[in-house]
């Protein structure tokens, strides 16, 4: 139901819980216990945080319960009968109204914050007024705009009160560091502890949230990638962070090569890989602390060449891995496309047996786009770094909206795929200009 919000707390920067006490008048009906589960209550029940809508009768009855109904929906006995005809008999016998005490505990986070913040906040455009936050382990993470900052501590206290699993509330202070992908944060309330544990894709992750990058809003995208991986796929993650892609990949039995420039990310990624390594598979993981281009040039490309050669030279391995692929992940949306500039120099280089390579290479490169036609925008920018790539090798997919008119996208580039026609084969496309 819609509770009346107290006026006295408007614009306050400290939390006065007593002001949220009030008495409401709600309808109720007494029904046999066996009707509680079998009746279709639809939207008729009173629903408030920390408030039971099915209660013991006074004096206590072993056969009947008292059910509280929503006064916004049920105004008369006839309303109740119309919505719940199966218990019409009991509504006729016991339907009535009662006064009910409501406290601070019975308001939602959004209701309390709405009551406190000035009504004119957001008049110049949408802002995060406190209802938008991310949960990372025991941390609630805000990204509050300047207009809301005078109320940041009271907002944090409300969240700490209302969410039992939250022990620390933080606010982002600056934009993400483009080098190490972390940001400064301020602890607004709760414990001074930023080392968190969380679960995703059946894996457990541990890291210091103040020193690494982790975005729970990308969990759906990460799970989507994990679902297309198979046992014995070769997976390279150029910007691996604390391992949200490579840890589940290792658990699936993929061969993993993971890299990040942030040494703190490498530290926690190593811990997460070791913690979640599957006993079912003997696959190994390899962790690096390199610049992305250096990782591609010195680790990824040489390993791809040696792996393809191993498969060509071993008939049994060639047969076993015929349905597998090589996956290169590049999730650094601000600048990931620019790192594609190292691919042409590799693909144009002479390499023995390249035309016979067995495994296709799938590159998943993430980027942002503010263009009206995001597909056209991404293809155009991508081709400035990989000019010889064909349109047939590129596909673009929407991931999420990160801001108004700013989308996160995934560009998938396919190389050495036998399913393509001969004229689309990358070994022919990536010849030197002089030889064409």
């Amino acid at each position: 139901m819609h509770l009346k919000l107290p006026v006295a707390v408007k614009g306050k920067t400290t939390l006065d819980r007593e002001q949220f006490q009030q008495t409401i008048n709600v309808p109720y009906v007494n029904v046999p216990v066996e009707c509680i589960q079998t009746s279709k209550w639809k939207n008729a029940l009173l629903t408030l945080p920390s408030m039971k809508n099915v209660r013991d009768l006074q004096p206590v009855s072993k056969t009947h319960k008292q059910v509280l109904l929503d006064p916004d929906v049920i105004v008369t006995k006839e309303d109740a009968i119309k919505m719940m005809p199966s218990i019409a008999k009991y509504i006729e016998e016991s339907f009535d109204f009662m006064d009910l005490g409501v406290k601070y505990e019975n308001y939602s986070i959004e209701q309390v914050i709405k009551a406190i913040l000035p009504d004119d906040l957001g008049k110049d455009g949408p802002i995060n007024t406190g209802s938008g936050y991310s949960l990372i382990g025991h941390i609630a993470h805000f990204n509050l705009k300047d207009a809301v900052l005078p109320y940041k501590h009271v907002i944090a206290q409300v969240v700490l009160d209302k969410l039992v699993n939250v022990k620390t509330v933080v606010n982002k202070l600056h934009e993400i560091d483009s080098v190490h992908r972390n940001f400064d944060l301020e602890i607004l309330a709760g414990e001074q502890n930023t080392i968190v544990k969380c679960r995703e894709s059946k894996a457990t992750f541990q890291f210091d949230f103040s020193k690494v990058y982790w975005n729970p809003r990308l969990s759906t995208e990460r799970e989507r990638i994990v679902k297309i991986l198979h046992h014995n796929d070769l997976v390279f993650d150029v910007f691996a962070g604390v391992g949200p892609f490579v840890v589940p990949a290792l658990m699936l039995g993929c061969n993993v090569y993971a890299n990040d420039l942030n040494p703190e990310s490498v530290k926690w990624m190593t811990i997460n890989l070791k913690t979640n390594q599957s006993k079912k598979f003997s696959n190994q993981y390899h962790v690096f602390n390199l610049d992305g281009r250096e990782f591609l040039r010195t680790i990824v490309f040489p390993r791809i060449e040696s792996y393809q050669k191993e498969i060509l030279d071993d008939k049994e391995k060639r047969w076993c891995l015929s349905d597998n692929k090589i996956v290169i992940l590049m999730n650094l949306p601000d600048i990931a496309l620019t790192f594609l500039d190292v691919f042409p120099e590799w693909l144009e280089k002479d390499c023995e047996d390249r035309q016979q390579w067995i495994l296709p290479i799938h590159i998943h490169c993430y980027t942002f786009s503010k263009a009206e036609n995001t597909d056209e925008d991404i293809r155009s920018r991508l081709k400035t770094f990989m000019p010889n790539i064909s349109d047939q090798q590129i596909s673009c997919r929407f991931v999420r909206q990160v801001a108004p008119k700013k989308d996160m996208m995934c560009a998938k580039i396919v190389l050495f795929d036998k399913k393509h026609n001969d004229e689309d084969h990358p070994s022919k496309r990536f010849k030197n200009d002089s030889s064409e």
Side-chain angles (χ1 to χ4, degrees):
M1 69 169 292
H2 298 288
L3 290 173
K4 182 179 178 181
L5 302 179
V7 177
V9 300
K10 183 66 68 178
K12 301 292 184 182
T13 56
T14 57
L15 182 58
D16 187 352
R17 298 174 182 83
E18 299 299 318
Q19 293 293 334
F20 287 87
Q21 294 184 9
Q22 65 169 296
T23 300
I24 59 175
N25 193 243
V26 300
Y28 69 88
V29 62
N30 300 329
V31 299
V33 173
E34 59 268 20
C35 291
I36 302 296
Q37 297 296 330
T38 59
S39 298
K40 295 182 179 179
W41 300 100
K42 295 183 181 178
N43 299 319
L45 292 176
L46 176 69
T47 305
L48 294 175
S50 303
M51 175 78 73
K52 291 183 178 180
N53 49 27
V54 178
R55 299 181 164 197
D56 289 331
L57 288 171
Q58 298 300 327
V60 176
S61 169
K62 293 183 179 181
T63 60
H64 286 66
K65 293 283 186 179
Q66 185 179 76
V67 180
L68 305 182
L69 306 175
D70 189 337
D72 293 342
V73 177
I74 307 295
V75 179
T76 66
K77 181 190 296 186
E78 287 69 29
D79 292 335
I81 293 173
K82 185 177 180 180
M83 290 193 69
M84 300 166 289
S86 64
I87 58 168
K89 172 185 175 182
Y90 306 109
I91 294 173
E92 289 283 3
E93 293 174 353
S94 63
F95 181 86
D96 205 347
F97 285 82
M98 64 180 292
D99 287 338
L100 186 69
V102 173
K103 299 180 180 180
Y104 168 77
E105 290 79 9
N106 306 127
Y107 289 79
S108 68
I109 292 175
E110 292 75 19
Q111 287 173 322
V112 175
I113 293 175
K114 183 179 180 181
I116 293 171
L117 294 185
D119 294 330
D120 60 352
L121 279 182
K123 64 181 180 180
D124 297 324
I127 60 174
N128 182 358
T129 56
S131 58
Y133 52 87
S134 298
L135 295 177
I136 306 99
H138 69 276
I139 292 177
H141 168 226
F142 282 93
N143 184 11
L144 298 174
K145 300 297 184 182
D146 290 345
V148 187
L149 291 181
Y151 309 95
K152 61 185 180 181
H153 292 292
V154 68
I155 290 172
Q157 188 57 57
V158 173
V159 172
L160 206 60
D161 287 345
K162 299 289 183 178
L163 300 179
V164 294
N165 293 326
V166 170
K167 307 300 180 186
T168 305
V169 183
V170 304
N171 182 45
K172 176 181 172 182
L173 292 179
H174 306 292
E175 292 302 313
I176 293 173
D177 183 300
S178 60
V179 178
H180 286 167
R181 300 188 76 193
N182 57 355
F183 52 82
D184 293 331
L185 56 81
E186 176 187 13
I187 296 179
L188 301 179
E191 299 174 2
Q192 302 290 306
N193 176 20
T194 55
I195 297 178
V196 300
K197 281 187 178 181
C198 56
R199 284 191 61 80
E200 185 178 292
S201 299
K202 299 180 181 179
T204 301
F205 294 91
Q206 186 176 4
F207 49 87
D208 188 339
F209 184 61
S210 68
K211 296 180 180 179
V212 304
Y213 177 81
W214 179 275
N215 188 346
R217 292 187 174 94
L218 290 176
S219 61
T220 301
E221 174 62 16
R222 292 190 285 252
E223 289 171 3
R224 193 202 74 82
I225 293 294
V226 170
K227 284 180 181 178
I228 64 175
L229 298 178
H230 299 94
H231 173 61
N232 279 334
D233 279 351
L234 183 59
V235 178
F236 299 94
D237 195 338
V238 185
F239 315 107
V242 298
F245 286 114
V246 294
V247 169
L250 184 70
M251 294 168 67
L252 286 172
C254 298
N255 296 293
V256 165
Y257 289 75
N259 174 72
D260 203 273
L261 187 60
N262 183 351
E264 192 72 18
S265 294
V266 172
K267 165 189 164 182
W268 291 106
M269 174 169 51
T270 304
I271 291 171
N272 294 330
L273 285 163
K274 183 176 181 180
T275 301
N276 293 280
Q277 189 171 22
S278 173
K279 295 179 181 179
K280 182 180 178 181
F281 304 113
S282 59
N283 302 64
Q284 298 296 309
Y285 59 85
H286 310 269
V287 178
F288 302 87
N289 180 207
L290 301 172
D291 168 75
R293 286 183 179 82
E294 185 181 358
F295 176 64
L296 286 164
R297 288 187 176 114
T298 63
I299 305 299
V300 178
F301 298 155
R303 182 59 186 130
I304 288 176
E305 292 173 4
S306 64
Y307 196 61
Q308 297 275 21
K309 190 175 187 307
E310 287 172 25
I311 297 169
L312 285 173
D313 293 343
D314 188 326
K315 289 183 179 180
E316 184 176 347
K317 182 177 286 190
R318 186 162 68 244
W319 180 82
C320 292
L321 299 177
S322 59
D323 292 329
N324 286 101
K325 60 188 173 295
I326 296 170
V327 177
I328 302 175
L329 302 169
M330 303 176 69
N331 183 21
L332 186 58
D334 272 336
I335 56 175
L337 281 182
T338 66
F339 285 76
L340 294 173
D341 62 0
V342 299
F343 280 84
E345 65 186 49
W346 172 59
L347 292 166
E348 292 168 1
K349 183 187 71 172
D350 288 337
C351 180
E352 186 181 354
D353 297 326
R354 181 175 282 174
Q355 292 191 31
Q356 282 74 49
W357 279 3
I358 302 297
L359 299 186
I361 300 172
H362 293 184
I363 306 167
H364 298 266
C365 188
Y366 293 84
T367 187
F368 295 129
S369 178
K370 295 181 179 180
E372 232 176 85
N373 189 328
T374 54
D375 188 277
E376 184 179 298
D377 170 54
I378 292 167
R379 288 174 183 270
S380 174
R381 288 190 287 127
L382 190 154
K383 287 183 179 181
T384 64
F385 304 106
M386 297 183 73
N388 292 330
I389 203 79
S390 72
D391 282 330
Q392 289 75 22
Q393 290 175 272
I394 306 170
S395 60
C396 298
R397 179 174 51 79
F398 173 81
V399 176
R400 61 184 287 262
Q401 187 178 58
V402 297
K405 298 182 180 179
K406 182 179 180 181
D407 294 337
M408 181 178 179
M409 306 288 293
C410 179
K412 180 181 177 182
I413 307 155
V414 179
L415 306 175
F416 303 101
D417 193 339
K418 299 293 185 181
K419 295 176 183 178
H420 282 76
N421 294 328
D422 285 343
E423 62 268 20
D424 290 330
H425 198 282
S427 63
K428 295 188 176 183
R429 279 192 303 276
F430 283 99
K431 290 182 178 179
N432 293 323
D433 291 341
S434 60
S435 65
E436 289 183 340

